Amino acid sequence: DVKVTQSSRYLVKRTGEKVFLECVQDMDHENMFWYRQDPGLGLRLIYFSYDVKMKEKGDIPEGYSVSREKKERFSLILESASTNQTSMYLCASSVGQSYGYTFGSGTRLTVV
Amino acid sequence: AQKITQTQPGMFVQEKEAVTLDCTYDTSDQSYGLFWYKQPSSGEMIFLIYQGSYDEQNATEGRYSLNFQKARKSANLVISASQLGDSAMYFCAMREGNQGGKLIFGQGTELSVKP
């Protein structure tokens, strides 16, 4: 069964900490995406990547960075966590020849 | 810029009845794709149905159908014969351009099915 795996289901971090959210897919997908989900706002795109070492800003990149050193792994980095980054974070992947997208189960991050 | 709008934050439907969830979109692209996802309380995103911008027929998948009105830029989801297990958040999403590209999501509609 194909999968997108997010390393943590729940995470609690302190303000100012550097936070890494990891996402790994086992489908050899070229494209990977990071979203954050907030009530009433839906899913908003933070960053995405169409290839290894490639990254593009989404709609809300401020306060975030990403790393894609290997095809299967796409990391979201909060350089200095703030309380307004408390949210559900979802990773997804896709392949160019198909309309299918696979989502991870999400990481609920709380910044205190 | 592309945009997806879901104007119904919450909806109620009686079990076994049909329900329509609204979605309008805005794009200047000729080639795009429209998606509906279901998100139960467990948080997983479940793909329901897809409509390509060049597809002439409305997409159907079991009890789900997509009412695609291109000129009005709407892509409403119709769920027939609602079941209690249909209670969830529903998201409309759009992909511009190439397959596999970034998805833009609407705000979501929370559907509650009453017994």
Side-chain angles (χ1 to χ4, degrees):
Chain A
D1 196 17
V2 294
K3 273 193 174 179
V4 173
T5 303
Q6 294 184 232
S7 52
S8 304
R9 187 82 171 108
Y10 297 95
L11 212 51
V12 180
K13 295 293 181 180
R14 294 196 179 277
T15 301
E17 275 194 75
K18 189 169 186 176
V19 181
F20 293 84
L21 302 184
E22 304 289 346
C23 176
V24 178
Q25 49 96 2
D26 64 0
M27 298 161 286
D28 202 34
H29 282 178
E30 300 93 359
N31 310 322
M32 296 189 75
F33 310 88
W34 273 107
Y35 293 89
R36 66 175 280 177
Q37 181 180 358
D38 301 288
L41 297 177
L43 281 74
R44 293 178 292 166
L45 183 63
I46 306 172
Y47 266 97
F48 59 102
S49 169
Y50 289 155
D51 201 352
V52 177
K53 302 210 186 261
M54 175 269 180
K55 60 185 178 185
E56 285 199 40
K57 293 179 181 179
D59 298 318
I60 52 163
E62 296 79 18
Y64 304 95
S65 63
V66 290
S67 172
R68 193 164 182 203
E69 296 295 318
K70 293 185 178 181
K71 191 176 186 179
E72 67 270 18
R73 185 180 296 270
F74 192 35
S75 304
L76 180 69
I77 304 158
L78 286 66
E79 297 290 343
S80 178
S82 64
T83 55
N84 63 14
Q85 292 177 310
T86 291
S87 187
M88 169 71 89
Y89 290 87
L90 286 162
C91 177
S93 73
S94 70
V95 65
Q97 296 78 28
S98 166
Y99 62 75
Y101 294 78
T102 304
F103 285 82
S105 53
T107 295
R108 187 166 293 281
L109 173 67
T110 302
V111 183
V112 298
Chain B
Q2 60 179 160
K3 188 178 179 182
I4 291 278
T5 303
Q6 295 178 253
T7 57
Q8 306 153 313
M11 290 276 288
F12 287 93
V13 65
Q14 204 69 35
E15 192 179 9
K16 298 181 186 177
E17 291 185 352
V19 63
T20 298
L21 306 184
D22 293 342
C23 173
T24 58
Y25 62 92
D26 190 19
T27 180
S28 55
D29 267 21
Q30 297 301 307
S31 175
Y32 52 89
L34 296 158
F35 300 74
W36 277 93
Y37 285 88
K38 172 184 177 181
Q39 187 184 47
S41 57
S42 58
E44 60 186 309
M45 293 290 281
I46 301 169
F47 167 75
L48 295 178
I49 198 164
Y50 168 81
Q51 179 86 40
S53 58
Y54 295 118
D55 296 340
E56 295 185 353
Q57 301 286 334
N58 284 347
T60 59
E61 292 283 352
R63 294 187 298 111
Y64 304 107
S65 60
L66 198 152
N67 185 1
F68 182 44
Q69 297 190 38
K70 197 169 182 177
R72 295 181 60 189
K73 294 190 174 179
S74 74
N76 298 339
L77 177 71
V78 180
I79 306 174
S80 63
S82 297
Q83 301 172 355
L84 296 178
D86 293 335
S87 293
M89 282 292 291
Y90 288 80
F91 290 101
C92 181
M94 178 171 66
R95 174 214 18 97
E96 278 188 337
N98 296 334
Q99 298 279 25
K102 62 180 182 177
L103 286 180
I104 301 299
F105 286 82
Q107 305 92 322
T109 296
E110 185 168 10
L111 178 67
S112 298
V113 180
K114 298 191 287 187

